[in-house]
């Protein structure tokens, strides 16, 4: 039985490799084109500042704005100022960019600058460990994926304590690394699921709750594998996104349940683990709806605090909340 299970997982890994190659082809196809005129203006402007530019490209994507990549020849006395680079490229391209990322190899400096998106997220998070223990069976993470989106993740391992913590942290760690590397969420989920299934002979289950916020368009992609409700406050009205699905570690093929919604300034997204869902959900709905002045960090902390209070007469559990408010850049 074990050999059959391993064969099935290995076959799934090969299918996953095929999906990775497919994702790479889609990423190349998503590049709308290269703006050679702007690249020439950037080279001329930097040369006027005394810098030697070996190469420059201005790449535009479907939903990620413009990305400028510059290769500059540097010597021992060459000093690169991020402020100077930002000012020059903003003026040459006629757009606003985020602070440049610099890397060096030999006598070359690589500069990468991404166009500043319309929106950003104010993010706050809070957790409570079951019975005030040392290891939390929930794991969370959030990051900017380099393609114009902010990504937030929550995974809830089966039960509490060390074993649940290992499963949840493993799921979030693998998923985060694959997403940052540019893989699609479906492909990353398949690899994460396979990893949990072959981790040990004992059953390893973990939920996966993923939110992708496109900072250029305001589109929110909600993806769930066994995760509980996400709350969306849009234009002062609350929506509950339950999206039934199975957690990771059960079947060879894991699938997300998906929904999209478009948000604008001052809309909210609240993700929680199932430790929050005690009794009637009216209290958390009322809390989110009436939240006006406090920060995202304060809202997440208040949700966890209220959930702890309501668990006093019930068994304790790990509790996690991530609160996110849409804000405009600039």
């Amino acid at each position: 039985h074990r050999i059959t299970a391993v064969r099935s997982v290995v076959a799934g890994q090969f299918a996953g490799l095929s999906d990775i190659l497919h994702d790479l082809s889609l990423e190349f196809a998503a590049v709308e084109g290269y703006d050679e005129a702007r690249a020439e203006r950037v080279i001329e402007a930097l040369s006027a500042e005394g810098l030697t530019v070996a190469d420059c490209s201005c790449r535009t994507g479907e939903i990620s704005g413009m990305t400028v990549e510059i290769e500059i020849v540097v010597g021992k006395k060459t000093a690169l100022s991020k402020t100077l680079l930002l000012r020059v490229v903003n003026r040459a391209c006629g757009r606003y960019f985020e602070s440049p990322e610099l890397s060096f190899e030999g006598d070359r400096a690589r500069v990468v600058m991404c166009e500043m998106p319309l929106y950003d997220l104010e993010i706050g998070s809070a957790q409570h460990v079951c019975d005030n223990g040392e290891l939390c069976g929930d794991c969370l993470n959030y990051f900017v994926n380099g393609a114009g989106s902010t990504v937030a993740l929550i995974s809830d391992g089966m039960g509490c304590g060390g074993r649940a913590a290992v499963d949840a942290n493993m799921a979030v760690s693998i998923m985060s690394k694959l997403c940052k590397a540019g893989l699609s969420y479906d492909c990353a989920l398949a690899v994460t699921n396979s990893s949990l299934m072959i981790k040990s002979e004992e059953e390893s289950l973990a939920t996966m709750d993923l939110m992708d916020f496109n900072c250029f368009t305001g589109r929110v992609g909600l993806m769930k594998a066994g995760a509980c409700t996400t709350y969306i406050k849009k234009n002062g009205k609350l929506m509950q996104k339950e999206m039934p699905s199975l957690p990771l570690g059960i079947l060879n093929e894991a699938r997300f349940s998906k929904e999209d919604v478009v948000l604008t300034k001052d809309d909210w997204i609240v993700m929680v683990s199932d430790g929050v869902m005690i009794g009637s959900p009216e209290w958390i709905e009322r809390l989110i709806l009436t939240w006006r002045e406090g920060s995202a960090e304060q809202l997440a902390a208040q949700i966890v605090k209220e959930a702890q209070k309501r668990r006093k007469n019930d068994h304790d559990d790990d509790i996690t909340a991530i609160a996110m408010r849409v804000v405009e850049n600039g």
Side-chain angles (χ1 to χ4, degrees):
H1 176 73
R2 180 64 177 168
I3 293 174
T4 302
V6 170
R7 282 176 177 170
S8 177
V9 171
V10 170
Q13 293 282 19
F14 279 113
L17 180 59
S18 173
D19 291 338
I20 291 172
L21 295 175
H22 178 65
D23 288 346
L24 289 173
S25 69
L26 292 178
E27 184 176 343
F28 286 122
V31 177
E32 289 185 348
Y34 291 86
D35 193 327
E36 296 182 3
R38 280 193 169 93
E40 286 296 327
R41 291 206 296 268
V42 170
I43 293 173
E44 291 174 3
L46 290 175
S47 298
E49 297 290 342
L51 297 174
T52 304
V53 180
D55 192 18
C56 176
S57 69
C58 297
R59 186 176 70 249
T60 55
E62 291 180 354
I63 55 174
S64 58
M66 177 175 284
T67 300
V68 177
E69 296 187 20
I70 311 166
E71 188 176 319
I72 299 174
V73 180
V74 294
K76 292 182 179 180
K77 296 183 179 180
T78 305
L80 290 181
S81 165
K82 288 188 176 183
T83 302
L84 172 67
L85 291 170
L86 187 61
R87 175 172 55 81
V88 170
V89 174
N90 281 349
R91 186 173 64 243
C93 293
R95 304 190 184 198
Y96 291 101
F97 290 84
E98 296 180 319
S99 181
E101 296 291 333
L102 302 180
S103 59
F104 297 88
E105 185 174 348
D107 64 344
R108 300 297 171 98
R110 182 171 179 264
V111 182
V112 179
M113 300 176 65
C114 298
E115 186 176 352
M116 183 177 291
L118 175 62
Y119 298 112
D120 198 358
L121 284 179
E122 176 200 346
I123 304 179
S125 62
Q127 281 190 309
H128 162 71
V129 182
C130 180
D131 295 324
N132 295 315
E134 295 182 358
L135 299 174
C136 184
D138 297 342
C139 184
L140 67 89
N141 191 21
Y142 44 86
F143 54 88
V144 177
N145 69 358
S149 289
T150 297
V151 180
L153 302 165
I154 294 179
S155 181
D156 184 354
M158 183 175 63
C160 300
R163 183 175 167 185
V166 169
D167 291 343
N169 277 270
M170 179 178 176
V172 167
S173 176
I174 295 173
M175 196 76 185
S176 297
K177 289 177 181 177
L178 294 177
C179 292
K180 289 178 182 178
L183 270 67
S184 71
Y185 298 123
D186 289 328
C187 183
L189 185 75
V191 175
T192 304
N193 182 62
S194 296
S195 301
L196 281 173
M197 293 193 70
I198 63 174
K199 180 175 72 70
S200 67
E201 293 185 1
E202 296 180 348
E203 190 175 47
S204 295
L205 301 180
T207 66
M208 182 57 64
D209 198 357
L210 187 148
M211 185 283 313
D212 174 288
F213 176 76
N214 187 290
C215 298
F216 287 90
T217 64
R219 184 197 62 81
V220 177
L222 300 175
M223 287 156 264
K224 294 183 180 293
C228 66
T229 306
T230 291
Y231 295 92
I232 303 289
K233 186 165 76 169
K234 177 179 172 66
N235 297 326
K237 297 181 179 179
L238 193 67
M239 296 181 284
Q240 301 88 6
K241 301 296 184 180
E242 296 184 2
M243 304 159 58
S245 52
L246 292 175
L248 306 182
I250 296 179
L251 302 177
N252 288 336
E253 292 187 12
R255 296 184 183 276
F256 274 128
S257 178
K258 301 179 181 180
E259 281 194 34
D260 287 355
V261 62
V262 177
L263 302 182
T264 56
K265 181 183 177 183
D266 291 329
D267 290 340
W268 286 82
I269 310 157
V270 177
M271 302 168 65
V272 297
S273 66
D274 64 2
V276 171
M277 310 307 290
I278 181 72
S280 171
E282 290 181 2
W283 68 270
I284 187 172
E285 294 172 4
R286 183 170 58 254
L287 177 60
I288 297 171
L289 266 176
T290 57
W291 194 262
R292 296 285 187 270
E293 303 299 330
S295 67
E297 190 78 27
Q298 290 170 330
L299 175 56
Q302 189 64 30
I303 290 171
V304 171
K305 182 179 178 181
E306 288 293 328
Q308 283 181 260
K309 287 181 182 179
R310 293 171 186 277
R311 284 195 167 275
K312 283 187 177 180
N313 297 324
D314 202 345
H315 70 280
D316 200 5
D317 196 2
D318 298 307
I319 302 171
T320 298
I322 304 177
M324 294 162 277
R325 182 170 69 95
V326 180
V327 297
E328 287 186 346
N329 274 319

